[in-house]
Amino acid sequence: MPTTSSRRRAWQRRAGRKRFGRPFFEANQWIFGYGLNLIACESIDDGKLERITTGANIFGGAGKRIDAIMRSKGLISSMLFCEIKTHDTELLAKTPYRAGVYQASKELGGGVAQVQKTVSKAQQLISPEFLTRIYDDDGTPTGVELSTTRPRQVVVIGSLREFTHNGRVNPEKINSFELYRTSIQDVEIITFDELYQRACFIVEDR
């Protein structure tokens, strides 16, 4: 288990280099779950976060890929699907749709649609079971069973810094973003700067 100081240094190094990719999140899985919903999460079977969920997949053995599929830690695990974009991905379109109205960027809308479709296809594979077993790519059972009722869906993308100019926040842009974010019922949208602050809270709390 990384120490508090080593975790903070890792975040600072990545922040300085602007490199928050999948390998970093695989090495720091504690960020997810405990940082997103105060329930600890980890990879499905101590493996990689990115997994195949349709076609040749973890639900049926030897596909559609998801950047991260995780399970909550508890007596019974539930599922979390996550699409990870980059910190500099745009959250809103550059130009307003109407005066004071900004629509979600193509990447944000696409990321939401992507995780929704991935979860939908995965649920079609495992329906009507409420619990499912996880398999290796070659079909070997891993011994992991998961609750498949309404898996959580998360998109990590962009930065709220996009809505600032000369140190001031553009109220129309942040309002448009929050209206869009809170209107999406089953998908949590979190920015990299929000994820960073939650990770700092975890580090300081531990």
Side-chain angles (χ1 to χ4, degrees):
M1 177 67 68
T3 64
T4 296
S5 58
S6 65
R7 283 174 170 173
R8 181 175 289 278
R9 285 196 298 271
W11 271 99
Q12 290 173 339
R13 286 196 300 271
R14 293 286 173 164
R17 299 173 186 171
K18 296 184 179 180
R19 293 175 59 190
F20 287 96
R22 193 178 301 111
F24 175 77
F25 288 117
E26 286 177 352
N28 296 274
Q29 295 179 20
W30 54 272
I31 295 168
F32 291 99
Y34 185 60
L36 295 177
N37 61 357
L38 300 184
I39 300 175
C41 290
E42 62 185 1
S43 59
I44 290 292
D45 54 3
D46 296 327
K48 293 183 177 181
L49 295 179
E50 183 187 37
R51 307 303 292 266
I52 300 174
T53 57
T54 61
N57 63 82
I58 63 171
F59 303 116
K64 173 69 178 170
R65 290 185 179 272
I66 186 77
D67 285 334
I69 178 171
M70 309 184 75
R71 59 171 174 159
S72 62
K73 297 177 70 175
L75 293 178
I76 300 175
S77 294
S78 57
M79 301 175 67
L80 181 151
F81 290 76
C82 183
E83 281 294 331
I84 304 172
K85 302 303 182 182
T86 64
H87 72 282
D88 54 2
T89 301
E90 291 183 347
L91 298 171
L92 299 177
K94 287 184 177 296
T95 57
Y97 178 73
R98 291 285 189 272
V101 178
Y102 291 83
Q103 61 187 341
S105 69
K106 181 179 179 180
E107 282 297 317
L108 175 55
V112 170
Q114 185 176 4
V115 73
Q116 288 175 326
K117 189 67 171 181
T118 300
V119 170
S120 176
K121 286 189 173 182
Q123 286 186 301
Q124 290 175 25
L125 283 173
I126 57 186
S127 180
E129 301 293 334
F130 296 111
L131 288 173
T132 189
R133 294 180 176 86
I134 300 300
Y135 298 84
D136 287 333
D137 292 341
D138 62 1
T140 303
T142 64
V144 174
E145 287 190 323
L146 298 173
S147 168
T148 56
T149 303
R150 293 179 67 88
R152 290 191 62 244
Q153 304 167 52
V154 178
V155 175
V156 181
I157 183 172
S159 170
L160 296 179
R161 187 180 298 275
E162 175 183 330
F163 308 138
T164 63
H165 181 70
N166 294 331
R168 294 191 174 186
V169 177
N170 183 317
E172 301 293 356
K173 287 187 175 182
I174 189 64
N175 179 255
S176 293
F177 173 69
E178 291 295 354
L179 287 173
Y180 176 79
R181 171 158 68 171
T182 56
S183 72
I184 306 298
Q185 182 176 0
D186 292 328
V187 180
E188 178 178 0
I189 300 169
I190 181 170
T191 62
F192 277 83
D193 55 301
E194 290 173 327
L195 191 61
Y196 172 78
Q197 291 300 327
R198 295 188 189 194
C200 287
F201 170 78
I202 298 170
V203 169
E204 292 168 359
D205 186 52
R206 296 177 70 87

